[in-house]
Each structure stands twice: as structure tokens, then as C-alpha cells.
Amino acid sequence: PLIFIIDELDRCRPNYAVELLEQMKHLFTVSGIVFVLSIDKKHLASSVKGVYGSEQINTDEYLRRFIDLEYSIPKPSNKIFCKYLFDYYSLGEFFYSIERSNIDEFQNDGENLLLIAEILFNETNATLRQQEKIFGQTRLILNLFKPNQYSFSSLLFVLIYLKTIRNEFYQKIENNSLTLQELSNEFAGIMPSEFKNLSDLNLHYIEALLLQFYNNNKEYQDKVKLIEIDGEGNKTSPIKSKLKGYENSKDLVLSLDYINKNRYSDIKLNFLLKKINLTDPIIIQ
């Protein structure tokens, strides 16, 4: 047999895709010729409707003229696919380099990035292409960090994800147009309604990093005091986290307090945004 394998026909120009289907049909009666189409059927159906200028056309019936047998490749679990992309783009070369392996604070960066990726992709049903794009961009952006430099991998990945999937939210962050409470609310909105098997990842810590760095972007007079002492001497925060699965915002206060005591507490969110937008100066040695 003579086998023609046609990949991604659905991503071609609509009229070209339909013309190719019509031309293939002329060869169907020739013995020994087989066509294998790798397609997203929904996208190809949209092309057919566009070419014929009608939303009423029965695309299933139309495509049945060309497709005798269908087989749907099952979608891999996000956990497996994230690990595949992590290895494919060699993120381990950065996270597990000799230089970073000698710094205790960086030990879990790679695992935390995989965990937050799985959480985000599960929550939004991101397509495999979107997941691949985000991991590819992450690898490119990590090249802008020095081996001994904080990458804040979980927060970095959240921001790259937002730029790709929720660009409107990302633009608000970039333009400093959100209040800190609005930022906290929006962050909670992209996270799952229930937390399962996430004991190794503190989402409140990622939220706290986002709030702290975003607050640092503001002018001095506009900054909010993120940790306050109440009348009973307890540490509180004016920001009330809406992350579900927690009884209150004590974990956010603890995370903010921990960040305040570390040497990276003064970092501005622009430190990450410039790298993500590829506007950070690149020094070639």
C-alpha cells in the first residue's frame, strides 16, 4: 500500500484544507492508497463551516465522506505530560545544576514548578499546545537567571501561565491597576476549589510572594503595610486571602511574615516581569 500521512490539516488555511480533502476523494477508489489524517476534528469542522459560509452545515456528515475509521488519541494526565515537558525542555539542567545544588534554598525549585504547573493546568484544562508553549517559554526565561540567583520558580511559572492563558489579568498586574486585595482575589480565582495532595506546595506562600513583590513596585507613599499588630499583639494582614480549603488567612500572614524576614523581601515584581517580557538587559560574556 501507498500511505499518505497528513498532519495538522486543521491548522491549514480553511479553503486549502477543504480543497485538499476534495482532491483526496478522487484517489479513494484507487486500490492500495490509504490516507491517514492527524486532525483536531472540531477545528477542521470550523474550517468547513467557514469555507461554505454556513453554521448550519452538518460537518460530521460532511467529514464522513472522507473518513472511514476514527481513532481518538487519549489525552495524557497533566502530571505525566508536565514531567515530559520538564524533561523535553531540559529544565533540570537549570534547577539541578551543580551551582544551584549547593544552595539549600533552591533545592525544591524544580519540584515546586512541576506541582504548580499540574495545579494550573488541571484547573483550566489548558490544551497540550498551550502547556507546551508555557514550558518552552519558561525554559527560555530561565536562561536569563544566573545560577546563584533566586528564580521564585512557582511564582515565575504562575506569571508565565497568566501571560499566555489569562493575558488580561497579566496586563493588570503589569500596569499596577489592581489593589492588593483585588490581586489576592484574582489569584485565588485561578486556583482549585479543593486542595488534594498538595502538602509539598504552600499556595499561600506563592500568594504572599506575589503580594509582597507587587507592593514593592509601588511608590513609597502608595505602599501598603502588609503585616500589622492587632490590639492583642497578634500579627495580622489587611489582605484577606480567599484561597479555598483554608479556614482563615493565618497561613498568608505567616508567609508574609516569613518573606519579610528574608533578604529578598525588597525585590520588586518587575524583576520577574522584565524577564518574562524579555525586556531585561542580556549580558553576553
Side-chain angles (χ1 to χ4, degrees):
L2 177 60
I3 302 174
F4 291 90
I5 299 176
I6 303 177
D7 189 22
E8 297 191 333
L9 183 61
D10 55 286
R11 295 173 66 82
C12 294
R13 194 173 65 251
N15 61 329
Y16 175 85
V18 172
E19 287 174 8
L20 185 59
L21 285 173
E22 297 288 355
Q23 291 174 19
M24 282 168 41
K25 197 170 187 299
H26 293 299
L27 300 173
F28 285 175
T29 57
V30 180
S31 177
I33 291 184
V34 178
F35 289 91
V36 178
L37 303 179
S38 172
I39 60 172
D40 182 320
K41 196 174 179 182
K42 289 182 179 179
H43 286 180
L44 188 56
S46 296
S47 295
V48 172
K49 290 179 180 179
V51 169
Y52 287 100
S54 173
E55 288 293 323
Q56 306 305 317
I57 186 172
N58 188 331
T59 52
D60 283 336
E61 193 62 36
Y62 175 85
L63 293 174
R64 198 171 289 125
R65 296 166 51 201
F66 311 98
I67 301 172
D68 295 322
L69 298 173
E70 292 186 34
Y71 175 77
S72 296
I73 299 175
K75 184 179 178 180
S77 74
N78 282 331
K79 183 174 184 178
I80 292 173
F81 194 59
C82 285
K83 183 63 171 68
Y84 161 76
L85 292 174
F86 187 94
D87 295 336
Y88 179 81
Y89 285 107
S90 303
L91 269 69
E93 289 183 3
F94 174 82
F95 288 118
Y96 307 133
S97 65
I98 295 175
E99 295 90 343
R100 295 186 73 83
S101 296
N102 292 327
I103 302 175
D104 291 340
E105 294 167 275
F106 298 163
Q107 297 305 301
N108 297 321
D109 279 3
E111 288 78 3
N112 288 341
L113 184 143
L114 276 171
L115 282 171
I116 195 64
E118 185 184 349
I119 291 170
L120 291 171
F121 294 156
N122 279 338
E123 187 66 9
T124 58
N125 292 318
T127 66
L128 300 184
R129 290 188 188 280
Q130 288 173 326
Q131 294 180 39
E132 184 177 16
K133 179 180 180 180
I134 292 169
F135 265 91
Q137 290 177 336
T138 300
R139 186 63 184 98
L140 173 65
I141 292 161
L142 286 174
N143 287 335
L144 302 178
F145 288 87
K146 298 176 182 178
N148 63 345
Q149 198 170 26
Y150 282 96
S151 66
F152 306 103
S153 61
S154 297
L155 176 58
L156 178 72
F157 194 88
V158 168
L159 292 169
I160 297 171
Y161 163 86
L162 290 176
K163 186 175 182 181
T164 306
I165 306 293
R166 297 276 301 277
N167 189 256
E168 184 178 347
F169 180 17
Y170 181 84
Q171 291 295 326
K172 290 178 181 178
I173 293 174
E174 192 174 22
N175 296 330
N176 294 311
S177 60
L178 296 168
T179 66
L180 286 167
Q181 186 60 62
E182 289 171 340
L183 179 59
S184 175
N185 296 346
E186 292 270 10
F187 177 84
I190 65 172
M191 293 301 163
S193 57
E194 294 183 12
F195 298 129
K196 296 179 180 178
N197 303 320
L198 295 179
S199 58
D200 294 331
L201 187 66
N202 186 343
L203 294 182
H204 270 311
Y205 178 70
I206 302 172
E207 180 184 20
L209 283 174
L210 177 61
L211 292 171
Q212 180 72 47
F213 295 170
Y214 182 83
N215 196 41
N216 290 344
N217 267 1
K218 297 179 180 295
E219 297 295 332
Y220 178 79
Q221 66 274 12
D222 297 326
K223 288 184 180 181
V224 175
K225 192 173 182 180
L226 292 175
I227 297 290
E228 298 175 340
I229 306 297
D230 64 17
E232 298 178 355
N234 298 315
K235 292 181 179 179
T236 64
S237 175
I239 311 303
K240 306 304 176 186
S241 177
K242 291 189 176 181
L243 279 174
K244 297 177 182 178
Y246 293 86
E247 294 180 0
N248 50 50
S249 294
K250 285 185 178 179
D251 285 335
L252 177 60
V253 174
L254 290 172
S255 295
L256 286 169
D257 188 45
Y258 174 80
I259 292 169
N260 260 286
K261 294 176 181 177
N262 278 277
R263 57 181 174 273
Y264 52 78
S265 61
D266 293 329
I267 288 179
K268 297 182 178 181
L269 194 61
N270 281 342
F271 167 69
L272 297 178
L273 297 180
K274 286 182 179 180
K275 294 184 186 302
I276 293 170
N277 295 334
L278 301 180
T279 56
D280 206 25
I282 299 175
I283 299 175
I284 301 176
Q285 297 180 346

